[in-house]
Amino acid sequence: MRAPRLDGDPIGTAPGRRRASLLFALGLAISTLGGCTLGEGREEDAPARPAPASPIEATSAMLPPGAAALPLDWSADVIQRGEPLDRSLRRLELTPAERSAITTALDAEIDLRRLLPGEEVRIGRDETGDVREAVLVRDPLHRVVARFPAESDSSVESVAREPDVFLRLLEGTIVGSLFEAMLEAGGDANLTLRFADLLAWQVDFLTEPREGDAFRIVAYENHLDGEVLGFGKILAAEYRGQRASARAVRYVDGEGTLDWYDDDGRSVRRAFLKSPLNYRRISSRFSARRRHPILKVVRPHWGVDYAAPAGTPVSALGDGTVIFAGRRGGYGKMIEIRHNGTYTTCYGHLGSFSTGIRKG
């Protein structure tokens, strides 16, 4: 039962921070929001990498400096959901001995029981048809390479690439929804949810957005071989709405503590979130007279119901102590949290409880 994580970093207050330094950082980032006219600018002057034309070139780009690529003939297969690596190796028509050697080599570097669907295995053969390399591509930046030289023992290593990082400004106006506007501005689903999490203490993105509201984000965008991989850290975010507005700037103090601050130097984290499920659909609102969907009678509904897929995390609106966790009448599985001497919040119709959630 925790509040959303902001941009993948733990949130916390910044004890002993110097106000002058903080306001300087705030002013710098906010001026970036207001002054950017072009959405891209290189963070580092690193040479761009050409897009690989073949699996061997892609593998060569992952080799350690000075290592020479062999002229191999490559074949590849994508791992499907729930299947072991051996299944892919069978589809590539490898012999039992070849499959055993590849599995043994790769298993020494990674846990092959934890392969994910969509990972790719590539096999490189020499002119005689013997397997010389097996590459497990885990994602665009990470792969595991096993080599089988003709005159020496096999070797295996994990290889990682560093993406090219650009500073990107995204801004837009809501016409249909925040999600659609974010995609139109060049963002993606993950960036939309992180943006909503970041400003969740000031804006309820379920009820308050209106057509014509505007947003701006300054974030790092990762590129590899000319393709966009996604977005990294959000540096600043702003939402200007008819019902609610907010602005947050990322700042790390001299002790390494990260938090997000508004224009006045205050943490954007408040006592209570505006919604326990950010950016999801409301199926039933708080009402003194609501027609019960099952009983078909009119009665008060003292709460807000959210519709979301099974497994969607539910966040407590704020810090507190669990005073009940179990089944309670029409609420089904329910958790009740006391935040202070005044406020208590309840969360019902839950699918399950996280490990360790219990009274106290």
Side-chain angles (χ1 to χ4, degrees):
M1 303 298 295
R2 62 183 185 278
R5 295 180 61 191
L6 304 185
D7 198 28
D9 292 304
I11 208 166
T13 57
R17 61 181 181 273
R18 290 178 296 179
R19 183 173 180 82
S21 298
L22 171 59
L23 293 179
F24 174 79
L26 283 168
L28 179 62
I30 291 170
S31 67
T32 302
L33 271 173
C36 285
T37 55
L38 182 65
E40 294 183 354
R42 292 194 67 102
E43 184 186 29
E44 298 177 359
D45 294 326
R49 302 182 180 89
S54 66
I56 182 61
E57 291 184 23
T59 303
S60 299
M62 303 287 288
L63 296 178
L70 300 174
L72 303 179
D73 182 26
W74 290 89
S75 58
D77 185 74
V78 177
I79 295 173
Q80 305 301 315
R81 182 179 298 275
E83 70 176 18
L85 175 64
D86 188 71
R87 188 74 56 84
S88 284
L89 299 180
R90 287 175 181 269
R91 286 196 291 267
L92 292 173
E93 300 181 350
L94 296 173
T95 66
E98 291 171 334
R99 299 200 305 270
S100 177
I102 292 172
T103 301
T104 300
L106 293 177
D107 195 48
E109 185 69 17
I110 60 172
D111 187 351
L112 294 180
R113 297 171 299 178
R114 297 184 178 276
L115 298 183
L116 299 176
E119 294 184 18
E120 185 181 56
V121 57
R122 298 174 179 174
I123 302 299
R125 297 179 180 273
D126 62 15
E127 66 278 1
T128 66
D130 292 331
V131 175
R132 293 300 175 216
E133 287 191 17
V135 181
L136 181 63
V137 182
R138 312 219 67 185
D139 58 50
L141 296 177
H142 302 90
R143 60 189 66 189
V144 182
V145 182
R147 299 183 179 87
F148 306 92
E151 299 179 356
S152 60
D153 294 335
S154 63
S155 63
V156 62
E157 64 176 333
S158 295
V159 186
R161 297 181 67 181
E162 291 294 331
D164 296 317
V165 181
F166 294 79
L167 191 62
R168 179 78 183 273
L169 168 66
L170 299 93
E171 54 185 343
T173 301
I174 294 178
V175 177
S177 69
L178 174 63
F179 180 76
E180 294 171 325
M182 190 73 72
L183 294 182
E184 182 70 21
D188 56 24
N190 179 268
L191 185 66
T192 304
L193 292 176
R194 288 196 289 138
F195 174 80
D197 279 349
L198 176 57
L199 302 180
W201 280 274
Q202 287 77 31
V203 183
D204 182 354
F205 286 99
L206 282 162
T207 63
E208 293 179 329
R210 294 292 185 272
E211 184 172 328
D213 291 0
F215 67 88
R216 289 192 287 183
I217 306 175
V218 175
Y220 288 132
E221 187 177 57
N222 299 321
H223 291 236
L224 186 69
D225 298 327
E227 296 185 3
V228 177
L229 296 183
F231 293 90
K233 296 174 181 177
I234 296 176
L235 303 184
E238 181 183 38
Y239 187 85
R240 303 188 305 278
Q242 303 169 44
R243 294 292 186 92
S245 298
R247 184 151 55 177
V249 177
R250 186 179 191 272
Y251 178 73
V252 181
D253 68 11
E255 298 178 356
T257 302
L258 166 68
D259 207 342
W260 296 83
Y261 300 92
D262 61 18
D263 294 359
D264 297 322
R266 299 175 302 180
S267 171
V268 299
R269 187 179 187 184
R270 302 293 191 259
F272 294 104
L273 291 169
K274 283 204 168 184
S275 168
L277 277 78
N278 290 316
Y279 204 59
R280 300 292 191 270
R281 182 173 64 85
I282 288 181
S283 58
S284 184
R285 299 177 184 274
F286 187 97
S287 173
R289 292 180 56 82
R290 183 195 69 154
R291 182 175 175 81
H292 196 284
I294 298 177
L295 302 179
K296 308 302 182 184
V297 297
V298 176
R299 60 170 57 175
H301 184 247
W302 307 129
V304 178
D305 290 347
Y306 299 87
T312 299
V314 178
S315 298
L317 290 184
D319 293 340
T321 301
V322 175
I323 59 176
F324 178 83
R327 300 193 68 89
R328 178 176 291 177
Y331 288 104
K333 292 182 178 179
M334 192 187 88
I335 291 176
E336 187 173 1
I337 298 176
R338 181 170 54 237
H339 302 281
N340 50 38
T342 303
Y343 296 104
T344 299
T345 57
C346 301
Y347 310 82
H349 311 306
L350 299 174
S352 60
F353 299 152
S354 294
T355 303
I357 296 296
R358 58 187 178 274
K359 183 176 180 180

